[in-house]
Amino acid sequence: GAVVSQHPSRVICKSGTSVKIECRSLDFQATTMFWYRQFPKQSLMLMATSNEGSKATYEQGVEKDKFLINHASLTLSTLTVTSAHPEDSSFYICSARDPAGEVETQYFGPGTRLLVL
Amino acid sequence: DAKTTQPPSMDCAEGRAANLPCNHSTISGNEYVYWYRQIHSQGPQYIIHGLKNNETNEMASLIITEDRKSSTLILPHATLRDTAVYYCIVRVASTASKLTFGTGTRLQVTL
């Protein structure tokens, strides 16, 4: 299947700082990428849909000014957690939609574990 | 997208077939059945998907009932590395529609 990478794999930061997470589709072009968050022992929750060249679409309850998304190219989307606080500590996972094939499928990155002190 | 119901957990002996059920009784005619799995501390991995015919790939087989109200993911020879949470998701595939993750089935493969 298609490959999606994320960087960094884990990050520790101080409260009040901003953290940028990158999501790349390595062998296909993705017009649409998705950002999820997963707290311990819970399922994945969709945060936002990132569309190349346009504004992201955020799910209800997700602050767009806190979680900045940029999808500047067909292979890269970034999520910036601004003014991070301990409650933002979580596992952040991106996915990219591969439009090739009979039925489009989403492929996931390995995730980024964020710890805010 | 239609909701799905999966057992919270299952055990399987290594080398035996793991059969993971999923109920999706409200599935619509244009909705596909997707299966993903998530190994601990990793991102979800795509396994297989189908519309109404049974499907097989190098990872698993997907059996969909004739009325499409339920399906079974089959791992023919489970190994310890197949221990994971398995998610059955139903969605329309013709749009950039979202994947809505439920609680899945936690499969534990044992020696």
Side-chain angles (χ1 to χ4, degrees), chain B residues 29-96:
Chain B
N30 62 346
E31 289 181 312
Y32 286 72
V33 180
Y34 283 78
W35 283 84
Y36 284 79
R37 73 180 182 184
Q38 187 178 25
I39 295 170
H40 183 62
S41 294
Q42 298 182 23
Q45 177 187 22
Y46 165 78
I47 301 174
I48 199 167
H49 72 271
L51 182 62
K52 53 183 178 181
N53 297 323
N54 297 337
E55 302 287 344
T56 295
N57 63 20
E58 65 278 4
M59 288 184 67
S61 294
L62 174 60
I63 308 299
I64 303 174
T65 57
E66 194 169 340
D67 63 8
R68 302 211 320 124
K69 293 185 177 182
S70 66
S71 62
T72 301
L73 179 74
I74 300 173
L75 306 179
H77 305 286
T79 70
L80 296 178
R81 286 177 293 182
D82 292 321
T83 294
V85 178
Y86 287 77
Y87 296 98
C88 168
I89 301 169
V90 174
R91 63 181 283 267
V92 177
S94 60
T95 67

Side-chain angles (χ1 to χ4, degrees), chain A residues 38 43 59 103-104 106 108-109, chain B residues 34 36 38 44 91 95 102:
Chain A
Q38 185 176 33
S43 191
E59 295 299 300
V103 176
E104 58 95 352
Q106 285 185 35
F108 287 80
Chain B
Y34 283 78
Y36 284 79
Q38 187 178 25
R91 63 181 283 267
T95 67

Side-chain angles (χ1 to χ4, degrees), chain A residues 102-115:
Chain A
E102 179 185 339
V103 176
E104 58 95 352
T105 300
Q106 285 185 35
Y107 295 93
F108 287 80
T112 297
R113 191 161 300 281
L114 170 64
L115 176 62

